[in-house]
Amino acid sequence: MILLDWFPLYNSLRIAGISTFITFFSGICAAYYISKLPKFIKGVLDCVLTLPMVLPPTVVGFFLLKTIGPLGPVGSVVLEFFGFKLTMTWYSAIFATGVVTFPLMYRTVRGAFDGFDHNLTYSAQTLGLSNTYIFWRVMAPNCKDGILAATVLAFARAIGEYGATTMVTGYIPGRTATISTTVYQLWREGNDAAAYKWVFVNLVISFVVLVAVNMLENSYRQPKGKAVNHTLSEEFERR
């Protein structure tokens, strides 16, 4: 019987959790403000921000390595002033997964915002509501299923990311190992039995994610707006 060292699962979950937290807010912020820009500028920014989604992960990792590595413009400054490296550590993978999953979060949320009925925004503006209130109480609730679906997909992508992650973190058992890098390493060592167990763990996680996304998509197809209209009605009555 082969006992598993569960560090790769723990490490993968914390990396995916932190990077998803970062891309959640950055992706929503970018999608919200870019959706308001002129069509040409919006198209240019879309191409730039979604480029990591179409580039090979190893290419993304290469650019990251040249940026945050000890000799890179960012990594060298951090090493000189703060005394620690941004590569070959467990948190290095946060940079990799963040860059790779950001386009997925951004484009999915952008799609939800583009499908939003902006008449609700105009109605809220006639009541004198602030843009912050309109976003959190009108727009976000109406687009919540799209936002949740993007979050789940970003988390799943971060869990399974290999190419960019291995470029900036390598494989150090008990320190930087993730599920994906562990499967590759075990395969290289000819330890198929242990590799299959980690493959099974990854399959279970992927299955749960797909079920969650399907449930959110089914919910997203249902008529929306009742709760939002109720909120606007309450604000109208107050005034």
Side-chain angles (χ1 to χ4, degrees):
M1 180 179 179
I2 299 176
L3 297 178
L4 289 182
D5 173 14
W6 291 102
F7 177 82
L9 176 60
Y10 160 72
N11 197 36
S12 295
L13 289 175
R14 68 172 171 176
I15 290 170
I18 295 172
S19 64
T20 302
F21 178 82
I22 295 171
T23 55
F24 177 83
F25 290 102
S26 60
I28 290 176
C29 183
Y32 177 73
Y33 286 106
I34 291 176
S35 65
K36 297 176 176 292
L37 295 176
K39 187 175 181 180
F40 175 76
I41 299 177
K42 186 190 303 183
V44 172
L45 290 176
D46 277 351
C47 292
V48 173
L49 294 178
T50 57
L51 193 59
M53 189 164 61
V54 296
L55 285 174
T58 50
V59 173
V60 176
F62 175 79
F63 282 121
L64 277 173
L65 200 57
K66 291 299 182 180
T67 303
I68 66 175
L71 300 179
V74 176
S76 59
V77 172
V78 172
L79 182 61
E80 181 180 355
F81 287 97
F82 300 100
F84 62 88
K85 296 191 301 182
L86 296 179
T87 56
M88 301 305 155
T89 61
W90 74 267
Y91 52 81
S92 305
I94 296 173
F95 298 104
T97 54
V99 171
V100 171
T101 60
F102 175 83
L104 187 60
M105 185 76 193
Y106 164 72
R107 289 309 293 258
T108 306
V109 174
R110 259 287 309 279
F113 286 170
D114 289 343
F116 173 69
D117 184 3
H118 290 282
N119 288 324
L120 295 173
T121 300
Y122 304 143
S123 299
Q125 289 173 342
T126 60
L127 297 175
L129 301 176
S130 66
N131 289 333
T132 302
Y133 183 94
I134 292 172
F135 176 80
W136 290 110
R137 296 298 301 274
V138 178
M139 193 172 189
N142 197 69
C143 301
K144 66 178 181 180
D145 293 320
I147 294 173
L148 288 174
T151 305
V152 173
L153 289 172
F155 180 81
R157 182 68 182 83
I159 284 284
E161 213 295 308
Y162 172 77
T165 298
T166 194
M167 291 284 287
V168 297
T169 66
Y171 174 79
I172 306 175
R175 292 180 57 188
T176 68
T178 63
I179 294 176
S180 299
T181 58
T182 299
V183 170
Y184 178 72
Q185 185 64 25
L186 290 172
W187 170 77
R188 286 188 59 191
E189 296 172 355
N191 192 348
D192 287 353
Y196 272 122
K197 290 189 176 183
W198 280 116
V199 168
F200 177 75
V201 171
N202 218 339
L203 284 173
V204 171
I205 295 173
S206 300
F207 180 79
V208 171
V209 167
L210 289 175
V211 170
V213 171
N214 286 333
M215 291 175 64
L216 289 171
E217 286 181 347
N218 292 333
S219 176
Y220 190 66
R221 294 191 186 100
Q222 295 175 1
K224 302 291 178 183
K226 291 184 178 180
V228 175
N229 289 332
H230 179 68
T231 300
L232 292 178
S233 297
E234 287 182 343
E235 288 295 330
F236 181 78
E237 291 175 358
R238 290 175 187 173
R239 286 163 170 72

